């Protein structure tokens, strides 16, 4: 006896793959469960046929005799031959003198054979549809159209050899009916004669055997179907393969599963999985799909928090899932552009200022009539992602044909967004990716992996702007009115164009505020009073957000709001809040993100960019914004760094100067915390300090950092070599004593070498240049790299081609390293060629010079460039003429 399968994880793993080799074999149990019809079973169907014969030509007494005889055949033990004998009689009786009677009987049995409404959710049919959308083939012995009704896929019978093969090989979609479909009477396999037709059809039997050899089979809703002449013949043949066949699973209620496991003629590759009752089956089927392992992605369904929940107040200015599905959420002009980009490129990037309806547009894309046929998933990068969640791995499970993946607020975690985009781009498998971001003033980019500029300025698929128009505000106004007044109410008349244009000045980039503002004024609008002052939204903010908070939580919220106001769009470190720990009432409004090697630091921001200004305008007493900003900067040096960077980028030198005056006045409260700054952020603090701070303050900062040399060295060794190199440059430029620092670092060459693996190759080369006068360090680094040249070579794919060529120049004295890199690149020359479009022409030319001894690489790059010469020519305008001539 083979053991019952303990769980279904192995089936789930199959479905995670790009082309799951899984056939779901659907039996009559599914039809019985879905319809409740007596003729859903084989016995019930034969009795239905007998009743049809009674109505046509045979005596009722003879019909009752046949039914009693059938009942006897189906009693335990089941008598297959007796059942087939009755089926043969019925088939012959209904096809004599012609086949018209057989077709009429099939139509009478199945034309209205539909799934009944079910309180269960999901149903077994929905579970099967989920499996099909995850890549499984659906194959059934049933004659009905239930699977077609559930999936919208056409039935393909065993008679249609070519189409059957196309479905098997995923050239087309369909439901495989191996015993026929009622709309094609000639394909119906019922009695001995028709069974003989299918088992002697050499082509279809070869396809069956190919399916068995190359695919896992999952049986659902099967009773005695394994014994019929068609399946029985296939399984008898399969026993010749012993246990070497791919494992198959028989899903059934516990008693039946044990019975199958105990059969002596069971194929050795067939395992059983038992469940308590049929009510458990839908959840079991759904649990196998990748969609159930989408976390941290969320399915776009009724449970998504971005939808208004059923039963909530109609005055909540958020559409419900139903409103999206019914197409009642107004579209913007950008919707068409997004759909065109998704169709052409498989991905699109929506980028605009805060509160212009970007998330709403993404959810409209996820709920179009076309997309409703396939799953969609949503991930908000503004929310904290738990340490045990792996978005990139989840993405690999969700890249299925026509599935849509939405990444919202990608500006909040640019590095993760690029990782996800790169993973999707490497293996999209026909899925589609929609990225959504708020345009904010960018802080200094620390690495290319954090830069979204590549997507923003993509040469063939650049970012899409929403730019809601005054006319769009009118559409939203009418939608919200219908939401509150009801579908039966007459639409609200649109205000004059001049009014919409006036509204647009205030609310065109603040739809989050616009919605509650107009909803508070419907009574006035119906009387023709179109006045919509900012206070209309402020009243809602005070009532919904500010009034419920205690004093400390409110002051913390105002601090976050100042940092999140439209002119800055910054996160604030939790340690920089006025009241540490008083955030328990804020989580409806505020999101937390973590950073640091161990996630020990926290940053807070408003959940919706743009809320900051509205919150501040809604306060009864004006908030002194600069005072809040500068006080927060005093509480945490990281806040001072980021605030200074943003003010500098805005060209606001006066506020930068005021910030540093405040920092100098209170230097004793924050200078002792300098080691809370990572090495890279220390440099970003000291560069503006040189311009805005006094010589005394600059000297005090350096003295604090250098006061404890062992601590400084430990801090340095926590950074990658690129950050260390930048720090040493800064240290030298500001004429600090460097000898003792280098001497201390030379005592830790192995620790420095270990950080080489965290460092981009271009920055690694820069550090090696910096360390030339310290051979103990450079030797330790090169020795470490030479021990694992393949590991180093794998890093080459993340390095721009221009910098890669520079690093290869530095590594010439280490042939094991250069050989490993060139070998890795030559294995995937097309992948390397794709990077050419990210590389300035002068750097690309330099790399091509370096690669002359590797013709496979240079050919792949030139071939890629020659396919799109206009696209390459457009890059010429960004290249200085001297480099362009070269």
């Amino acid at each position: 006896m083979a053991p019952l399968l303990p769980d279904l994880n192995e089936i789930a793993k199959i479905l995670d793959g790009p082309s799951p080799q899984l056939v779901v074999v659907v039996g009559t149990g599914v039809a019985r469960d879905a319809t409740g019809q007596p003729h859903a079973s084989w016995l019930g169907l034969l009795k239905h046929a007998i009743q049809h014969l009674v109505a046509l030509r045979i005596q009722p007494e003879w019909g009752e005799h046949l039914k009693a005889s059938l009942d006897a055949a189906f009693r335990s033990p089941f008598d297959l031959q007796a059942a087939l004998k009755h089926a043969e009689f019925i088939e012959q009786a209904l096809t004599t003198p012609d086949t018209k009677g057989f077709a009429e009987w099939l139509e009478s049995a199945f034309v209205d054979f539909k799934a009944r409404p079910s309180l269960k959710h999901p149903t077994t049919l929905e579970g099967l549809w989920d499996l099909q959308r995850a890549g499984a083939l659906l194959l059934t012995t049933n004659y009905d159209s239930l699977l077609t009704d559930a999936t919208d896929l056409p039935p393909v019978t065993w008679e249609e050899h070519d189409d059957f093969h196309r479905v098997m090989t995923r050239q087309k979609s369909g439901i495989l009916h191996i015993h026929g479909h009622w709309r094609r009477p000639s394909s119906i396999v019922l009695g001995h004669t028709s069974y003989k037709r299918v088992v002697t059809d050499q082509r279809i039997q070869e396809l069956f055997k190919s399916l068995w050899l190359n695919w896992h089979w999952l049986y659902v809703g099967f009773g005695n179907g394994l014994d019929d002449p068609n399946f029985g013949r296939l399984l008898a043949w399969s026993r010749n393969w012993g246990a070497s066949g791919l494992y198959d699973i028989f899903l059934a209620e516990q008693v039946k599963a044990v019975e199958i496991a105990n059969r002596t003629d069971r194929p050795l590759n067939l395992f059983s999985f038992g469940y308590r009752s049929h009510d458990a089956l839908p959840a079991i089927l759904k649990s196998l799909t990748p969609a159930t392992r989408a976390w941290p992605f969320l399915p776009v369904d009724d449970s998504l928090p971005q939808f208004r929940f059923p039963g909530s107040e109609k005055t909540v200015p958020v559409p419900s899932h139903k409103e999206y599905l019914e197409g009642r959420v107004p579209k913007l002009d950008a919707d068409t552009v997004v759909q065109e980009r998704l169709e052409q490129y498989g991905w699109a990037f929506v980028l605009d200022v805060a509160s212009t309806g970007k998330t709403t547009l993404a959810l409209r894309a996820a709920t179009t009539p076309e997309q409703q046929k396939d799953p969609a998933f949503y991930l908000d990068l503004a929310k904290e992602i738990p340490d045990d969640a792996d978005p990139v791995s989840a993405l690999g499970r969700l890249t299925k044909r026509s599935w849509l993946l939405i990444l919202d607020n990608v500006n909040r975690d640019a590095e993760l967004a690029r990782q996800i985009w790169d993973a999707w781009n490497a293996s999209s498998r026909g899925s589609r990716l929609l990225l959504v971001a708020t345009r904010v003033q960018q802080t200094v980019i620390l690495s290319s992996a954090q830069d979204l500029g590549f997507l923003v300025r993509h040469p063939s698929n650049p970012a899409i702007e929403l730019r809601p128009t005054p006319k769009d505000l009118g559409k939203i106004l009418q939608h919200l009115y219908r939401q509150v007044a009801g579908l039966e109410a007459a639409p609200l008349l649109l205000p004059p164009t001049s009014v919409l244009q006036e509204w647009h000045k205030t609310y065109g980039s603040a739809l989050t505020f616009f919605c509650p503002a107009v909803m508070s004024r419907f009574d006035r609008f119906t009387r023709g009073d179109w006045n919509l002052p900012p206070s209309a939204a402020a009243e809602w903010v005070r009532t919904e957000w500010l009034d419920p908070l205690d004093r400390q939580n409110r002051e913390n919220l105002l601090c976050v709001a100042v940092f999140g106001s439209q002119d800055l769009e910054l996160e604030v470190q939790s340690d920089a809040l006025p009241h540490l720990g008083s955030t328990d009432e804020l989580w409806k409004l505020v999101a937390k993100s973590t950073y640091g090697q161990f996630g020990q630091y926290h940053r807070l921001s408003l959940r919706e960019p743009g809320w900051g200004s509205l919150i501040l305008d809604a306060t009864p007493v004006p908030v002194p914004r600069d005072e809040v900003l500068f006080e927060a900067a005093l509480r945490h040096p990281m806040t001072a760094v980021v605030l200074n960077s943003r003010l500098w980028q805005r060209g606001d030198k006066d506020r930068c100067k005021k910030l540093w005056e405040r920092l100098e006045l209170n230097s004793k409260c924050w200078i002792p915390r300098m080691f809370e700054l990572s090495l890279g952020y220390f440099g970003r603090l000291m560069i503006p300090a040189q311009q805005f701070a006094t010589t005394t303050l600059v000297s005090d900062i350096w003295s604090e950092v250098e006061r404890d040399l062992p601590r400084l060295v430990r801090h340095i060794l926590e950074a990658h070599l690129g950050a260390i190199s930048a720090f040493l440059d800064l240290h030298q430029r500001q004429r600090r004593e460097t000898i003792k620092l280098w001497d201390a670092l030379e005592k830790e060459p192995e620790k420095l070498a270990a950080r080489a693996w965290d460092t981009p190759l271009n920055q690694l080369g820069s550090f090696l240049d910096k360390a030339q006068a310290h051979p103990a360090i450079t030797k330790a680094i090169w020795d470490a790299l030479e021990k694992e040249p393949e590991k180093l070579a794998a890093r080459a794919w993340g390095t721009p081609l221009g910098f890669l060529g520079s690093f290869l120049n530095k590594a010439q004295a280490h042939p094991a390293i250069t050989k490993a890199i060139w070998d890795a690149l030559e294995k995937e020359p097309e992948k390397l060629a794709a990077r050419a479009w990210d590389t300035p022409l002068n750097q690309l030319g330099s790399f091509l010079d370096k690669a002359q001894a590797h013709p496979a690489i240079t050919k792949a790059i030139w071939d890629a460039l020659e396919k799109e010469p206009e696209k390459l020519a457009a890059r010429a305008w960004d290249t200085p003429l001297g480099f362009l001539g070269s």
Side-chain angles (χ1 to χ4, degrees):
M1 168 183 167
L4 296 176
L5 192 71
D7 58 51
L8 298 174
N9 286 338
E10 296 306 315
I11 293 293
K13 290 177 183 177
I14 294 169
L15 286 169
D16 287 346
S19 297
Q21 299 296 95
L22 178 67
V23 180
V24 183
V25 189
V26 181
T28 57
V30 171
R32 288 199 307 271
D33 179 60
T35 67
Q37 295 281 1
H39 62 285
S41 67
W42 193 23
L43 172 61
L45 183 62
L46 293 177
K47 287 185 175 181
H48 184 281
I50 291 171
Q51 194 62 38
H52 189 79
L53 281 172
V54 168
L56 286 178
R57 63 174 68 97
I58 69 173
Q59 294 297 321
E61 295 80 4
W62 178 234
E64 291 303 316
H65 171 74
L66 286 174
K67 289 180 182 179
S69 166
L70 260 178
D71 284 334
F74 276 82
R75 290 193 193 101
S76 183
F78 172 63
D79 188 342
L80 176 63
Q81 294 307 315
L84 287 172
K85 183 177 180 181
H86 285 79
E88 178 68 15
F89 167 78
I90 291 168
E91 188 172 9
Q92 294 302 319
L94 287 171
T95 54
T96 304
D98 55 47
T99 60
K100 183 179 180 181
F102 191 63
E104 289 176 348
W105 164 63
L106 289 171
E107 183 171 2
S108 70
F110 294 111
V111 70
D112 294 321
F113 193 78
K114 303 294 182 182
R116 59 188 171 181
S118 175
L119 297 178
K120 291 187 299 182
H121 191 79
T123 64
T124 300
L125 287 173
E126 288 174 325
L128 292 169
W129 185 30
D130 288 335
L131 291 176
Q132 186 276 327
R133 293 191 296 179
L137 288 184
L138 295 185
L139 179 151
T140 182
T141 56
N142 302 344
Y143 314 136
D144 58 64
S145 297
L146 292 175
L147 292 174
T148 289
D149 293 341
T151 64
D152 259 354
L153 300 178
V156 177
T157 70
W158 63 273
E159 288 185 329
E160 302 162 85
H161 297 151
D162 291 346
D163 279 347
F164 198 101
H165 183 251
R166 290 189 184 98
V167 173
M168 278 178 54
T169 53
R170 293 191 170 92
Q171 298 176 65
K172 67 174 290 185
S173 298
I175 308 297
L176 298 177
H177 285 260
I178 62 170
H179 287 170
H181 185 265
W182 70 272
R183 289 193 180 277
R184 191 182 178 105
S186 64
S187 67
I188 296 297
V189 176
L190 186 64
H192 280 296
T193 300
S194 51
Y195 267 111
K196 184 177 180 180
R197 286 183 60 223
V198 72
V199 299
T200 57
D201 186 321
Q202 191 63 30
R203 288 187 67 190
I204 200 64
Q205 292 301 320
E206 288 175 355
L207 292 179
F208 287 167
K209 291 176 181 178
S210 176
L211 268 179
W212 188 90
L213 286 170
N214 296 298
W215 295 62
H216 299 271
W217 288 35
L218 176 67
Y219 296 89
V220 179
F222 258 72
N224 299 310
L226 292 180
D227 296 309
D228 75 46
N230 193 14
F231 260 107
R233 181 187 178 93
L234 176 66
L235 295 180
W237 169 82
S238 74
R239 284 192 288 274
N240 295 326
W241 293 91
S244 67
L246 300 178
Y247 61 84
D248 298 334
I249 309 297
F250 191 93
L251 271 178
E253 287 189 288
Q254 194 70 31
V255 173
K256 187 66 178 180
V258 172
E259 177 189 325
I260 293 295
N262 286 333
R263 284 180 55 159
T264 58
D265 61 345
R266 175 191 56 79
L268 294 179
N269 73 315
L270 179 63
F271 294 85
S272 296
F273 182 90
Y275 48 82
R276 291 183 178 180
S277 70
H278 281 298
D279 288 342
L281 183 56
I284 290 173
L285 296 179
K286 193 170 186 67
S287 72
L288 300 176
T289 65
T292 61
R293 296 181 304 288
W295 178 255
F297 287 87
L298 300 175
V300 180
D301 58 22
D302 287 341
S303 65
L304 189 70
Q306 278 66 24
F307 296 132
R308 189 178 81 253
F309 290 117
S312 61
E313 293 291 333
K314 292 182 179 180
T315 53
V316 175
V318 177
S320 67
H321 188 213
K322 182 179 180 182
E323 287 173 303
Y324 278 99
L325 293 176
E326 294 177 351
R328 285 157 42 199
V329 182
K331 294 183 178 180
L332 307 183
D333 292 341
D335 286 64
T336 301
V337 181
V338 167
Q339 291 301 326
E340 289 173 350
R341 299 281 187 86
L342 290 174
E343 185 68 26
Q344 183 175 1
Y345 302 105
W347 67 280
F349 186 22
V350 176
L351 176 70
D352 213 325
V353 294
S355 197
T356 52
K358 301 180 295 296
T359 299
T360 304
L361 180 145
L363 295 177
R364 283 197 299 270
T367 51
T368 63
E370 297 76 18
Q371 189 59 50
Q372 289 177 37
K373 300 174 185 177
D374 293 287
F377 299 88
Y378 175 90
L379 178 62
D380 187 354
L381 296 189
K383 296 184 178 180
E384 182 177 356
I385 296 177
D387 293 339
D388 59 349
D390 187 348
V392 176
S393 294
L395 177 99
R397 294 190 288 272
L398 302 176
T399 47
K400 305 287 184 181
R401 180 166 297 280
S402 299
W403 289 21
L404 176 65
L405 307 171
I406 297 171
L407 282 187
D408 200 358
N409 292 309
V410 300
N411 53 289
R412 302 297 292 276
D413 195 337
E415 187 166 5
L416 177 57
R418 276 300 301 268
Q419 290 174 10
I420 293 174
W421 188 89
D422 287 340
W424 177 88
N425 191 47
S427 183
S428 64
R429 302 168 184 167
S431 64
R432 301 189 296 171
L433 179 65
L434 176 56
L435 303 103
V436 177
T438 297
R439 188 191 302 280
V440 296
Q441 295 287 342
Q442 295 292 330
T443 55
V444 176
I445 300 300
L446 299 182
S447 72
S448 60
Q450 296 172 317
D451 186 10
L452 290 174
F454 164 67
L455 299 179
V456 175
R457 298 178 292 275
H458 193 276
S460 58
N461 189 15
I464 302 166
E465 293 183 332
L466 266 66
R467 298 294 172 91
T469 64
K471 183 178 178 182
D472 292 327
L473 296 187
K475 294 179 186 177
I476 295 169
L477 169 67
Q478 290 189 318
H479 165 71
L480 293 172
Y481 182 76
R482 293 291 292 273
Q483 176 181 307
V484 173
L487 296 178
E488 66 283 352
L492 180 69
L493 294 177
L494 283 173
T497 301
S498 59
V499 170
L500 290 174
Q501 290 172 340
E502 189 63 30
W503 288 1
H504 192 263
K505 294 176 183 177
T506 304
Y507 296 104
S509 297
L511 298 186
T512 302
F513 317 149
F514 175 72
C515 294
V518 298
M519 293 178 86
S520 71
R521 298 269 166 154
F522 282 150
D523 287 345
R524 301 187 184 192
F525 293 163
T526 57
R527 301 194 301 268
D529 179 0
W530 299 109
N531 186 33
L532 192 66
S535 61
E539 292 168 4
W540 179 79
V541 173
R542 280 197 295 269
T543 302
E544 296 293 325
W545 294 350
L546 296 181
D547 292 349
L549 300 178
D550 64 26
R551 181 184 63 82
Q552 291 187 344
N553 272 277
R554 188 182 302 117
E555 290 182 8
N556 279 346
L557 176 62
L558 293 177
C559 180
V560 176
V562 169
F563 276 83
S565 59
Q566 189 69 31
D567 60 340
L568 285 175
E569 289 293 354
L570 286 173
E571 295 179 311
V572 56
Q573 280 71 29
S574 58
D575 287 350
L577 294 174
H579 306 285
L580 295 180
S582 294
T583 55
D584 54 303
E585 300 177 12
L586 301 184
W587 302 122
K588 288 184 179 179
L589 308 174
V590 172
K592 178 173 68 175
S593 58
T594 61
Y595 67 102
Q597 187 176 2
F598 305 105
Q600 67 270 41
Y601 305 121
H602 305 284
R603 290 189 291 245
L604 303 180
S605 62
L606 295 171
R607 289 190 175 275
E608 177 69 24
W611 281 355
S613 296
L614 184 62
I615 292 174
L616 297 175
D617 290 343
T619 55
V621 179
V623 176
R625 302 190 184 194
D626 280 0
E627 183 69 21
V628 171
L629 292 172
F630 297 162
E631 284 297 316
L634 290 175
R635 297 186 195 107
H636 198 285
M638 178 74 80
T639 304
V641 170
V642 178
L643 176 60
N644 180 84
S645 295
R646 186 59 52 82
L647 293 174
W648 176 258
Q649 288 167 7
R650 289 172 51 82
D652 200 340
K653 295 183 180 180
D654 288 340
R655 291 171 81 192
C656 283
K657 185 177 180 181
K658 290 179 181 178
L659 170 64
W660 280 98
E661 288 174 352
R662 181 68 65 85
L663 291 172
E664 185 152 15
L665 188 63
N666 298 272
S667 60
K668 291 182 180 180
C669 74
W670 63 271
I671 286 182
R673 303 182 66 180
M674 291 305 301
F675 280 99
E676 293 182 25
L677 288 176
S678 67
L679 209 61
Y681 276 95
F682 179 79
R684 288 175 57 189
L685 177 72
M686 295 308 298
I687 291 173
Q690 287 291 108
Q691 180 172 359
F692 294 107
T694 64
T695 304
T696 300
L697 179 60
V698 172
S699 178
D700 288 346
I701 296 173
W702 278 112
S703 296
E704 173 65 25
V705 171
E706 296 170 337
R707 181 171 55 84
D708 187 344
L709 186 60
R711 184 183 183 189
L712 175 59
V713 170
R714 290 195 301 273
H715 193 60
I716 288 174
L717 291 174
E718 291 175 357
H720 64 70
L721 297 185
I724 296 173
S725 179
F727 174 81
L728 292 169
D729 270 339
L730 178 67
H731 196 258
Q732 186 175 20
R733 285 201 308 272
Q734 300 206 353
R735 298 181 180 180
R736 309 300 298 183
E737 175 58 57
T738 60
I739 296 175
K740 291 182 180 179
L741 182 56
W742 275 110
D743 288 344
L745 291 175
E746 283 186 325
K747 295 176 181 178
E748 307 274 6
E750 288 75 16
K751 289 184 179 179
L752 277 171
R755 301 319 306 256
W757 301 110
D758 306 330
T759 308
L761 294 190
N762 55 309
Q763 297 182 24
L764 177 57
S766 174
F767 180 83
L768 287 165
D769 284 342
K770 177 69 59 183
Q772 282 182 351
H774 307 277
I777 292 175
T778 56
K779 181 179 185 303
I781 292 174
W782 285 117
D783 287 349
L785 299 178
E786 286 183 326
K787 289 178 182 177
E788 299 185 76
E790 290 76 14
K791 179 180 175 182
L792 182 69
R795 303 292 301 278
W797 298 108
T799 306
L801 296 188
F803 293 127
L804 182 58
S806 175
F807 180 79
L808 285 165
N809 276 335
K810 290 181 175 61
Q812 285 180 346
H814 307 276
I817 290 175
T818 55
K819 181 179 185 302
I821 293 176
W822 285 116
D823 287 349
L825 300 179
E826 287 182 326
K827 289 178 181 177
E828 299 185 76
E830 291 76 15
K831 179 179 175 182
L832 184 69
R835 302 298 305 275
W837 300 108
D838 308 338
T839 308
L841 294 189
N842 56 310
Q843 296 182 17
L844 180 58
S846 174
F847 180 80
L848 286 165
D849 284 342
K850 175 63 61 179
Q852 285 181 350
H854 307 276
I857 291 174
T858 54
K859 181 179 185 301
I861 293 175
W862 284 117
D863 287 349
L865 299 178
E866 287 179 336
K867 288 178 181 177
E868 300 186 73
E870 292 79 9
K871 178 179 171 183
L872 182 67
R875 305 289 300 278
W877 299 108
D878 302 327
T879 307
L881 293 182
F883 290 124
L884 183 60
S886 174

